[in-house]
Amino acid sequence: MVKIIMHGCCGHMGQVISQIVKEDADAQIVAGIDPFDNGKMEYPVYKSLEDCKEEADVVIDFASAKAEDALLDYCGAHKLPVVVCTTGLSEEQLTAVEEASKQVAVLKSANMSLGINMLMKILQDAAKILVPAGFDIEIVEKHHNRKLDAPSGTAITLAEGILENIDRKDKWVKGTLVAPDGSLSGNTVYAPDELPVSSVREGEVPGIHTIRYDSEADSISITHDAKNRKGFALGVVLAAEYTAQHEGFLGMNDLFQF
């Protein structure tokens, strides 16, 4: 059985992941880390990893970006594998994540769900065929209005995956951002070598990503609609079980092997 420390256990995703693990015979959360203990968790909760007394095989990180540096230092020093789910990391922190993998196994992905990772494979294959045939590409992502980063990490990953498989476009750029108050910001005209990634922030949407391939003759839209956060949480748990038994800098492609 894989023993897990849930870093950021009292947040919304931490609670969803805790419920998934509760129903998994191959995993167990032995402790949680959160500065704000809600008293609802069925395992001991500590304010920091330094306070944690339980031994574990892996950490699931779903806290805030400001806690990332201390987490990576701890996991590196204690050779404790970690699955990094926290978004909004700076370029320096992303570099630190890769550096940490030289000391201990680190799995990092913008989105852990099987559906999104399957979508990535489909988009890469489609881009190789459609873009040379003259199709243009646009990505639109929609999330709840509490999400601070835009575009989403998942949308950026999808865009970068497409760009790796085509020659006509060189970079992704921020498209239109629709804020909760209806205001707009971002580019409205795009250069031929740019792939626009537009964002919508509204309501309680867990996450919708639509990729549009458009030509003068026809258009194709591919959409992943997350009904809730359970698919993401299940992928996180599978990633934790995998990371606990491997080494180096890992991604979901290592786990699913599409």
Side-chain angles (χ1 to χ4, degrees):
M1 177 176 290
V2 176
K3 296 180 180 180
I4 300 169
I5 294 175
M6 184 66 231
H7 190 246
C9 62
C10 296
H12 186 82
M13 279 305 303
Q15 295 181 65
V16 175
I17 292 169
S18 295
Q19 185 59 40
I20 294 290
V21 174
K22 184 178 178 180
E23 300 168 0
D24 187 340
D26 297 322
Q28 175 190 10
I29 296 182
V30 296
I33 308 299
D34 204 296
F36 307 104
D37 184 1
N38 60 15
K40 297 180 181 179
M41 313 317 290
E42 298 181 5
Y43 44 76
V45 177
Y46 302 94
K47 292 187 180 299
S48 72
L49 278 165
E50 296 290 349
D51 298 331
C52 185
K53 302 178 178 63
E54 283 70 22
E55 294 186 359
D57 302 306
V58 63
V59 174
I60 293 176
D61 167 41
F62 221 116
S64 66
K66 63 183 181 182
E68 196 68 21
D69 297 342
L71 168 75
L72 294 175
D73 288 344
Y74 182 92
C75 290
H78 292 79
K79 299 297 185 289
L80 182 60
V82 56
V83 176
V84 177
C85 305
T86 296
T87 60
L89 301 182
S90 67
E91 290 299 323
E92 292 77 11
Q93 288 176 315
L94 291 173
T95 299
V97 169
E98 291 198 46
E99 285 297 314
S101 69
K102 297 177 181 179
Q103 299 176 287
V104 67
V106 177
L107 190 148
K108 173 75 173 71
S109 176
N111 195 302
M112 303 285 181
S113 80
L114 172 60
I116 282 290
N117 283 275
M118 187 71 244
L119 175 65
M120 170 64 81
K121 174 61 175 174
I122 293 171
L123 296 177
Q124 290 173 337
D125 291 344
K128 295 175 185 178
I129 299 170
L130 297 176
V131 173
F135 283 76
D136 212 343
I137 312 172
E138 178 185 15
I139 296 177
V140 179
E141 57 93 358
K142 181 185 294 186
H143 283 84
H144 54 85
N145 53 23
R146 298 183 306 280
K147 186 172 181 60
L148 299 178
D149 54 318
S152 67
T154 298
I156 293 173
T157 299
L158 293 175
E160 291 176 343
I162 292 171
L163 291 171
E164 289 174 359
N165 288 272
I166 59 177
D167 296 325
R168 181 155 56 85
K169 293 185 179 294
D170 299 325
K171 58 185 177 182
W172 67 266
V173 295
K174 285 187 177 183
T176 301
L177 173 63
V178 182
D181 62 1
S183 60
L184 305 178
S185 63
N187 296 334
T188 55
V189 179
Y190 312 107
D193 65 341
E194 295 178 338
L195 194 168
V197 182
S198 299
S199 304
V200 180
R201 296 289 175 266
E202 64 179 26
E204 296 296 324
V205 179
I208 301 175
H209 293 82
T210 298
I211 297 81
R212 299 170 179 162
Y213 293 90
D214 188 66
S215 74
E216 293 182 358
D218 48 17
S219 62
I220 299 172
S221 293
I222 303 173
T223 297
H224 177 274
D225 185 349
K227 296 180 179 180
N228 52 52
R229 294 174 174 83
K230 289 184 178 179
F232 186 95
L234 177 59
V236 170
V237 176
L238 293 174
E241 294 172 355
Y242 180 86
T243 304
Q245 302 174 39
H246 291 79
E247 298 179 350
F249 189 52
L250 307 169
M252 294 303 281
N253 57 317
D254 295 300
L255 171 59
F256 292 134
Q257 296 185 357
F258 290 130

